[in-house]
Amino acid sequence: MNAATIAARRPLPVWDGKAARLGGSLATAGKVAEKVEERQLVQRCLGGDARAWEEIVRRHSPRLYHLCLRFTGNAAEAEDLAQDAMLRIYRALASYDPGQGALVTWMTALTRNLLIDHYRRSRNQRRTDSLDDPGAALPIPAEPQRRQPDAGVWRRELHEAVQAALVRLSPELREAVILRDLEDFDYKEIAAVLHIPEGTVKSRINRGRIELARWLAPRLRHSMGGTP
Amino acid sequence: MTWLDPMDCPRFEDLASEFLDGRLDETTAAAMRLHARQCAACGPLLEALHGTMEALAALPAPALPSGFETEVLAHTSGERRNAAGWGPTLQGLGRILWQPRLAMGIAVAWFGFTLLLNVTGIRLRRLHPGDLAPAHWPQIVSRTLHRTYARGVRFYYDLRVVYEIQAALHAIHRQTQAAPAHTPGQSARPPYNWNPSSRTLAHQRHPGPGAGLHLRWAWMSRPKTCSLGRWV
Ligand SMILES: [Zn+2]
């Protein structure tokens, strides 16, 4: 089966839909209003308004927890890290400069630093599998199961496989892919969070996705081939 | 790469993610599409990348662990309020002032202050803003002095009346006691009876202002067996 027949059988929807979703089509006016509102929220919080801080916690905790969970692949570690991140954000809030970028970028950068510190600390404690290690056992079953599992089981297994593949990525590629494909940051925002040039962001996202695609391809082919 | 397909495989791979993210100009994007259709390696790569992105985007956003926000707020809100609000500061001050020694000191100071106000004749409830003007102070002081002088005079006259009554009573007493004969022991006694016990007896004989108190005390200290016996 060559690319032409794939394209004929299942035209790639990404060329229209995906591009439109990710092409920065979010209304600029809405973003500006959001920024102004966030600036006011931070000001109120710094002025001692407990409700403003509660609002920040309520708004941003799920996103930061999600980031920690996908980066570590461990719910307990993610909870500790996300809580630690919120405490640090609280203490450092006075140093946040709205002129430097959105609150969410700043919060994510702070959380990301914690994640990297955590990764470095735990690297020596547990065996980390290199991406190039051919002996590393992949938790992804390459062989499609003979018995047709129901849709729920199949989906859950796919999620587990994706999460396992994410954790196997090097932290540099992992954080770039998570921020792009899970947190929906654009390239510029990722460059701001990671303090790296946009060109490096491009290459890390691409390399990360290609690594993941190699591991996930058998399962994905299976899913394309008519699984529920 | 041919004249029909200007894209080569390494370049295709480099641009694959940007292509899928819709970041390429139309010319480059068209070249990518053409190459994907014609290249046996790059077509499936693009397909797999697209599938991977979809699988990543489909990862469920998990709910926050229960109590996450409460835990965060418990560790944070207090600090900020302390840093900026007056409430906790006043509470802390209240806690310090409530210590017995300080509370006692404040009570004594307040008592002294009210005493001073009383002596100087200042009534806080009747205090007008004009009274606080320094020009009015001599007036207030003079009014207070006059009032105090008048009270003193009244007290002196009252004393004189009492003294004259007492003198008259003594005279009557002396006249009535002149008749009976004196025993030597009795005559050696001082004119005033300083013995507390006999003074009590004197009070009982001549009920005065203090007699009620004595009677009340006597009632309280008497055995209550009767009433108890009635109820039990
Ligand atoms: Zn190719």
Side-chain angles (χ1 to χ4, degrees), chain B residues 112-123:
Chain B
F113 178 62
T114 49
L115 197 68
L116 186 73
L117 287 179
N118 207 21
V119 167
T120 53
I122 297 170
R123 298 283 179 273

Side-chain angles (χ1 to χ4, degrees), chain B residues 5-231:
Chain B
D5 180 6
M7 186 64 65
D8 58 53
C9 294
R11 187 153 178 256
F12 183 95
E13 194 175 309
D14 281 349
L15 294 176
S17 281
E18 281 198 273
F19 173 66
L20 291 170
D21 282 334
R23 290 170 52 90
L24 297 180
D25 61 80
E26 189 40 49
T27 313
T28 316
M32 293 287 286
R33 276 191 288 270
L34 183 67
H35 185 81
R37 274 197 290 273
Q38 295 184 350
C39 178
C42 295
L45 171 70
L46 199 66
E47 189 79 27
L49 275 177
H50 174 237
T52 300
M53 285 165 67
E54 282 196 328
L56 285 167
L59 276 180
L64 273 180
S66 64
F68 182 94
E69 288 174 10
T70 319
E71 186 77 10
V72 168
L73 291 175
H75 280 93
T76 50
S77 298
E79 295 172 31
R80 182 78 68 199
R81 270 190 213 128
N82 274 340
W86 275 103
T89 314
L90 292 176
Q91 271 176 16
L93 197 65
R95 234 176 288 129
I96 292 166
L97 293 180
W98 193 240
Q99 286 176 358
R101 254 184 299 172
L102 268 170
M104 197 64 190
I106 290 165
V108 167
W110 176 249
F111 177 70
F113 178 62
T114 49
L115 197 68
L116 186 73
L117 287 179
N118 207 21
V119 167
T120 53
I122 297 170
R123 298 283 179 273
L124 282 178
R125 280 183 195 172
R126 285 187 223 154
L127 199 65
H128 298 293
D131 291 342
L132 296 174
H136 287 189
W137 290 355
Q139 215 179 322
I140 294 170
V141 170
S142 120
R143 197 167 57 206
T144 310
L145 278 176
H146 277 97
R147 210 176 284 152
T148 313
Y149 175 69
R151 270 189 213 149
V153 168
R154 219 179 297 135
F155 182 62
Y156 169 70
Y157 277 117
D158 289 353
L159 270 182
R160 248 185 78 180
V161 169
V162 170
Y163 175 73
E164 278 173 7
I165 291 170
Q166 272 188 336
L169 282 172
H170 270 288
I172 293 164
H173 194 68
R174 249 180 267 125
Q175 282 172 4
T176 51
Q177 282 194 338
H182 288 255
T183 57
Q186 275 174 329
S187 63
R189 261 198 224 158
Y192 302 110
N193 188 354
W194 291 106
N195 187 340
S197 59
S198 60
R199 215 167 132 205
T200 313
L201 287 171
H203 273 297
Q204 280 171 349
R205 271 200 308 269
H206 310 285
L213 192 71
H214 277 280
L215 286 174
R216 220 175 299 140
W217 181 85
W219 178 84
M220 281 167 77
S221 59
R222 100 193 140 162
K224 297 190 179 63
T225 43
C226 303
S227 56
L228 273 175
R230 214 152 119 216
W231 289 106

Side-chain angles (χ1 to χ4, degrees), chain A residues 152-173:
Chain A
V153 172
W154 175 83
R155 206 176 295 120
R156 200 175 60 240
E157 282 178 1
L158 178 65
H159 292 161
E160 283 168 7
V162 172
Q163 177 64 68
L166 262 180
V167 174
R168 290 174 56 81
L169 276 181
S170 73
E172 292 81 19
L173 303 187

Side-chain angles (χ1 to χ4, degrees), chain A residues 3 14-15 53 70 90 187 206, chain B residues 13 17 19 21 36 50 60 80:
Chain A
V14 292
W15 298 351
W53 170 242
R70 294 309 174 200
Y90 182 79
Y187 286 53
N206 199 42
Chain B
E13 194 175 309
S17 281
F19 173 66
D21 282 334
H50 174 237
R80 182 78 68 199

